[in-house]
Structures are given as structure tokens and as C-alpha cells.
Amino acid sequence: MVQVYIRVVGHLSRAFAVLATGLMIAAMVVVCQMILMRYVFRLPTIWQNDFVVFAATGAMFLGAPYVLLRGGHVGVDVVELIVSDGVRRRLRLVASLLGLSFCVIMLAATWIQFHDAWAGNWRHSSVWGPPLWIPLSALPLSFVMLCLQYVAEIAAQLSGLVKEPVDPRAAHVGAGTESLVSTEPAVRGDTR
């Protein structure tokens, strides 16, 4: 059952990443269209700036669950390098619980803001004036998904289904980044 939940949440996080990618592509296309309208045809732009800001911000938030799924959030692992495996596992569990707590608080706050914009028919103050509930909907959606992804991370840690290596030095190599600490034995003449 835990594996099914983890797999379903992973697929949902990937779907959010596809949506975030689509929003970023749309924002880039609109920026190109805005440049063409302004500097080639000398025509005013009305909605483009707002759309680009809303799309890029929505993409950032909607892509966050996928980043969590892939272990791509910024972290400082200097403590993990000096503690034992058991302490390292407990630290990761505590970090996941704190992350989940933060996301639950942010979910409540963003839901209130989204609901107020929806119920009050708030509009952006620009000439275009789109309803604000549309761009604000990305916030509670992303925090719901982040909460689900954190629960999946915690479930994987507690059930022993963690995919990542326990040694953080090996995690750097597996993530496709250069490792600052080599896990291979030094070869004679090697100047590492």
C-alpha cells in the first residue's frame, strides 16, 4: 500500500512538472511576442507582462513537488558527512517532518488567500485586470502536492523504501553532480 501511494504521488509530481514546463514555455513565447509587438511593430503591450509573471511564478511553485521527488532542493550536508548512518536517517526524517509542517502552514495561508480572491472577485490592478484567483490557484495546488510528496518521502523513510544512498557523498555522484569528496581510494600519484 505504501509503495502504491509513493508511486501515485510520484506520478502526480511528474504531471505537475509537465504543467510547470508548459507554463514556462508559454511565458517564453509570450516574452518573444511582446518583444515583437513592442520593438518591431511599435504597438503597446497590455497583458503580456502580467501573464509572464503569473506563468513563471506558477511554474516555480507547481514544479516544486517534482524537485522534492528528485531530491533537488537546496541542502547543506556538512552535518550528514560527519554523523553515523542512524543519525543521518533520523536527521532526514526530522527535516522531512519540518518541511511537511511548513507546507501545511503555507497550504492554509495560500488557501485563505485563494478563497478570498475567488469569493471577493479580486482582479489585478493592471489594464488587463485578470481575476486573481486564476494565478493564485497555483499556490494551494502546489502546497497540497508538496504535502503529499513529503508524506510519501516520510513513508518511504519509515518503511525502508528510500531509493537514495545512505552515504551523502555517494548521493552527489548519483545525482549527476560533481562530488567534492571522492569515495574512491586515491591512486598513487593522484593529487586530489
Side-chain angles (χ1 to χ4, degrees), residues 50-185:
D50 293 337
F51 179 84
V52 169
V53 169
F54 292 150
T57 304
M60 179 184 67
F61 280 99
L62 293 171
Y66 178 73
V67 175
L68 178 60
L69 172 70
R70 302 292 295 167
H73 285 272
V74 175
V76 179
D77 60 2
V78 68
V79 175
E80 287 189 10
L81 292 171
I82 59 174
V83 297
S84 68
D85 290 346
V87 172
R88 189 176 302 128
R89 281 190 288 275
R90 286 190 290 279
L91 282 174
R92 288 185 181 167
L93 182 60
V94 168
S96 294
L97 289 169
L98 288 173
L100 176 60
S101 301
F102 173 78
C103 289
V104 167
I105 292 167
M106 289 303 296
L107 171 58
T110 58
W111 176 259
I112 291 169
Q113 188 175 20
F114 165 76
H115 181 267
D116 288 348
W118 172 276
N121 196 26
W122 293 358
R123 296 203 166 270
H124 193 263
S125 61
S126 67
V127 175
W128 181 34
L132 280 177
W133 69 266
I134 296 171
L136 288 176
S137 65
L139 299 173
L141 280 173
S142 64
F143 282 110
V144 163
M145 198 60 231
L146 273 169
C147 288
L148 294 174
Q149 189 61 53
Y150 266 119
V151 169
E153 295 286 321
I154 292 166
Q157 291 172 17
L158 291 177
S159 64
L161 297 173
V162 179
K163 298 173 285 189
E164 61 191 8
V166 176
D167 185 1
R169 295 171 293 194
H172 288 295
V173 175
T177 61
E178 287 185 86
S179 177
L180 298 176
V181 179
S182 175
T183 56
E184 300 173 9

